[in-house]
């Protein structure tokens, strides 16, 4: 779905400052389209969605940084982006909590999606794992987001 289509779906004009973030969001939209149409022969079933998860994370992190870290966009524009689903509100809510500042995706902290009712392997601190062991999240391909 293109950026213009998402804007029409919201049915109200974007707030002041939209022209500041629009080019970057357009670039993320192009990357997302490329990731969706990328051939998936030879990949595992779980690996197909990894590029989509990464782009989704980058886009949400961009809007989060523009509002909370750099303070370059207004609260009205931030709320507009969340309402129009340009950013993941649940993921941003987790980033605000201590210990989840670098969380890759919300799926990694949902215990119902794991076999043993625990968080994902990428949430285990690297100091607690073997140094020569390569970890890779099944959900999004993350190599460790706990720090």
């Amino acid at each position: 779905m293109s950026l213009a289509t998402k804007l029409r779906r919201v049915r109200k004009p974007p707030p002041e400052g939209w022209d500041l973030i629009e080019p970057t969001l357009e670039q993320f939209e192009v990357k997302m389209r490329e990731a969706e149409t990328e051939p998936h022969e030879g990949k595992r079933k779980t690996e197909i969605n990894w590029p989509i998860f990464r782009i989704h994370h980058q886009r949400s992190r961009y809007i989060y940084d523009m509002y909370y870290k750099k303070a370059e966009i207004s609260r009205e524009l931030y709320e507009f982006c969340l309402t129009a689903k340009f950013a993941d509100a649940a993921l941003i809510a987790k980033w605000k909590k201590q210990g989840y500042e670098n969380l890759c995706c919300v799926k990694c902290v949902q215990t119902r999606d794991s076999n043993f009712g625990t968080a994902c392997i990428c949430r285990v601190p690297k100091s607690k794992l073997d140094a020569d062991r390569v970890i890779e999240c099944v959900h999004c391909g993350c190599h460790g987001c706990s720090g």
Side-chain angles (χ1 to χ4, degrees):
M1 184 180 315
S2 72
L3 200 61
T5 308
K6 284 185 181 179
L7 284 175
R8 270 187 261 131
R9 187 183 285 173
V10 177
R11 296 185 181 198
K12 65 179 190 180
E16 196 74 27
W18 172 252
D19 51 338
L20 178 69
I21 64 171
E22 185 180 17
T24 310
L25 290 179
E26 194 66 53
Q27 289 174 349
F28 283 128
E29 201 65 36
V30 169
K31 283 183 188 177
M32 186 69 83
R33 257 184 261 122
E34 289 172 1
E36 289 170 350
T37 59
E38 184 178 280
H40 55 269
E41 288 80 31
K43 291 184 180 179
R44 294 182 302 184
K45 188 176 180 182
T46 57
E47 288 179 12
I48 296 169
N49 293 329
W50 290 356
I52 296 170
F53 273 110
R54 283 192 189 108
I55 295 166
H56 176 73
H57 174 272
Q58 289 170 352
R59 185 175 57 197
S60 295
R61 180 57 85 170
Y62 171 72
I63 292 173
Y64 172 81
D65 287 342
M66 290 296 282
Y67 182 66
Y68 287 104
K69 303 287 184 189
K70 299 177 185 175
E72 292 185 13
I73 61 174
S74 64
R75 179 163 184 81
E76 185 183 3
L77 181 57
Y78 173 72
E79 296 286 335
F80 177 81
C81 289
L82 293 180
T83 320
K85 307 273 189 203
F86 291 122
D88 189 351
L91 186 58
I92 290 175
K94 287 288 184 187
W95 285 338
K96 291 187 227 173
K97 294 181 181 176
Q98 185 179 5
Y100 295 96
E101 296 89 0
N102 299 320
L103 183 66
C104 52
C105 68
V106 179
K107 252 184 159 179
C108 289
V109 291
Q110 291 176 341
T111 56
R112 69 168 191 253
D113 291 337
S114 69
N115 293 339
F116 304 106
T118 58
C120 183
I121 188 71
C122 70
R123 295 298 302 155
V124 177
K126 291 181 182 178
S127 61
K128 305 258 187 210
L129 295 171
D130 298 333
D132 56 335
R133 184 176 173 198
V134 177
I135 59 165
E136 197 171 62
C137 174
V138 177
H139 303 294
C140 61
C142 172
H143 294 286
C145 60
S146 65

